[in-house]
Amino acid sequence: MYEIIKLQQKIVPEVVELFNRRYTILRTILYNQPIGRRILATSLDLGERTVRNEVTFLKEKNLVEIFSEGMYVTEEGEKIIEDLAQLLKQFKGLNEIEEEIRSHLNLNKVIIVPGDYDKDKTVIHEIGKMASAYFSDVLKSDSTIAITGGSTIKEFVDNFPTLDKYHDVIVLPARGGMGKNMDTQANTLAARLSEKIGGSHRLLHVLDSLSEDILESIMKEKSIEEVVSMIRNADFLIYGVGRADIQAERREVEPKVLQELKVKMAVGEALGNYYNQQGEIVYKHTTVGVRDTDARKVNKAIAVAAGSSKAEAIIATQLHRTNGVLITDEGAAMEILVKIKQYNEGEKATLK
């Protein structure tokens, strides 16, 4: 099968483009249905004639249905989307790229989803599906799970299947509260995930933006101390990765801290820590919950991040996490390869 695919890439490379276009159209309809042809064409930056021809083909194959209010993906179409995603991975050589990135970053595993979130927002749904599918396979009874907040992690929880069989599993928020959106708070997502798993959960009623003195005082409370101890000794950690500049802005850090991050060339943020290009922590935000040292000793630390703009942040936060699992998209993966090549060329130049 693999040899046939490689041969097709050489002889009829337009097949990859066609597969990718139809996969993207189906996926976009699925996550925006009902949707009209004009809006679909605009969102994918395709001509209306192209979209009309492709939709006609997909309708003839019983993959989409067209109604007055817009288009829907059929049940058969949903199954095809999953099959196309796996086929595209082989067409594009993403399996080999997964291993290349895993080896360079010294991770346990890398999983890549076709597409680039920065260009197609529906990719985030596929990231969530892939992350939930992977975790449901590795989850074990009598485990403790720590989970952060954020929109990407919310997609993971939204897509997690209802198992209702892990009654001895405990789900915990990996960090205190941050931001104003309750739907993406770690406490909210921990409670929802535990419900789907069939386990229990504990909440952490502490803001993540408190001063160090106040946090130290709160940590002396027995109930808080107990939950934090459980979080820091979790078996699994599921968390997001962000760009240092964007995360600092979201946290509304002081101007002097922003300047410090720039001077120290911070490029990535995870778990309240800011990392430079070498993967070194250059600034620690006052936080309660999982620390970097805790993340490195859990059974599996699963990072979920999407978009080519996060490539540098992913490299910085994931370097040498031997227990780390990275789930990302094609856009980020390809940009990571570019950054790796630039780094290697820079190293060679230094040696000369």
Side-chain angles (χ1 to χ4, degrees), residues 95-157:
N95 294 323
E96 291 85 350
I97 293 173
E98 286 174 344
E99 176 54 28
E100 186 174 350
I101 293 175
R102 186 209 65 77
S103 177
H104 180 83
L105 298 183
N106 194 21
L107 293 168
N108 178 264
K109 188 177 183 64
V110 173
I111 300 173
I112 301 172
V113 170
D116 182 352
Y117 172 70
D118 289 346
K119 297 177 181 177
D120 179 3
K121 300 306 179 187
T122 65
V123 171
I124 197 70
H125 301 299
E126 296 302 314
I127 289 278
K129 277 186 178 181
M130 185 61 72
S132 64
Y134 169 77
F135 188 61
S136 60
D137 283 343
V138 300
L139 178 59
K140 298 177 180 178
S141 297
D142 195 25
S143 297
T144 302
I145 305 165
I147 181 172
T148 67
S151 57
T152 307
I153 304 303
K154 179 180 179 299
E155 283 296 332
F156 158 76
V157 175

Side-chain angles (χ1 to χ4, degrees), residues 226-283:
E226 181 182 335
V227 174
V228 171
S229 177
M230 293 172 68
I231 291 169
R232 292 177 175 176
N233 289 282
D235 301 297
F236 295 99
L237 169 64
I238 304 160
Y239 66 106
V241 171
R243 283 173 41 178
D245 55 346
I246 292 177
Q247 290 302 106
E249 184 179 334
R250 284 177 180 169
R251 282 178 169 273
E252 299 179 348
V253 302
E254 297 178 3
K256 64 178 183 179
V257 176
L258 278 175
Q259 184 59 31
E260 182 180 349
L261 292 175
K262 289 179 181 178
V263 170
K264 293 183 176 180
M265 301 178 71
V267 295
E269 187 274 343
L271 304 170
N273 302 306
Y274 291 82
Y275 301 77
N276 63 15
Q277 291 179 327
Q278 289 71 45
E280 301 165 332
I281 297 176
V282 295
Y283 182 82

Side-chain angles (χ1 to χ4, degrees), residues 6-131:
K6 299 299 283 186
L7 184 61
Q8 285 178 322
Q9 286 176 313
K10 289 183 179 180
I11 306 300
V12 280
E14 62 271 19
V15 169
V16 179
E17 182 183 346
L18 183 60
F19 264 79
N20 193 58
R21 183 166 66 240
R22 289 177 178 168
Y23 167 71
T24 303
I25 288 173
L26 278 170
R27 189 180 63 197
T28 303
I29 294 173
L30 176 65
Y31 293 120
N32 295 281
Q33 56 190 11
I35 184 174
R37 279 198 295 257
R38 184 171 296 178
I39 296 175
L40 178 61
T42 301
S43 64
L44 296 179
D45 196 23
L46 292 172
E48 284 192 50
R49 179 182 294 180
T50 299
V51 169
R52 184 169 58 252
N53 291 338
E54 292 295 355
V55 167
T56 299
F57 171 83
L58 295 172
K59 184 178 184 299
E60 290 173 352
K61 299 299 180 183
N62 194 37
L63 302 179
V64 300
E65 292 178 309
I66 303 175
F67 297 94
S68 58
E69 68 271 22
M71 296 175 287
Y72 293 82
V73 174
T74 64
E75 186 176 340
E76 185 178 352
E78 288 192 40
K79 293 177 182 177
I80 286 290
I81 290 174
E82 296 179 10
D83 294 338
L84 282 176
Q86 293 305 312
L87 194 56
L88 275 172
K89 284 192 70 168
Q90 295 184 55
F91 267 130
K92 296 180 175 184
L94 296 184
N95 294 323
E96 291 85 350
I97 293 173
E98 286 174 344
E99 176 54 28
E100 186 174 350
I101 293 175
R102 186 209 65 77
S103 177
H104 180 83
L105 298 183
N106 194 21
L107 293 168
N108 178 264
K109 188 177 183 64
V110 173
I111 300 173
I112 301 172
V113 170
D116 182 352
Y117 172 70
D118 289 346
K119 297 177 181 177
D120 179 3
K121 300 306 179 187
T122 65
V123 171
I124 197 70
H125 301 299
E126 296 302 314
I127 289 278
K129 277 186 178 181
M130 185 61 72

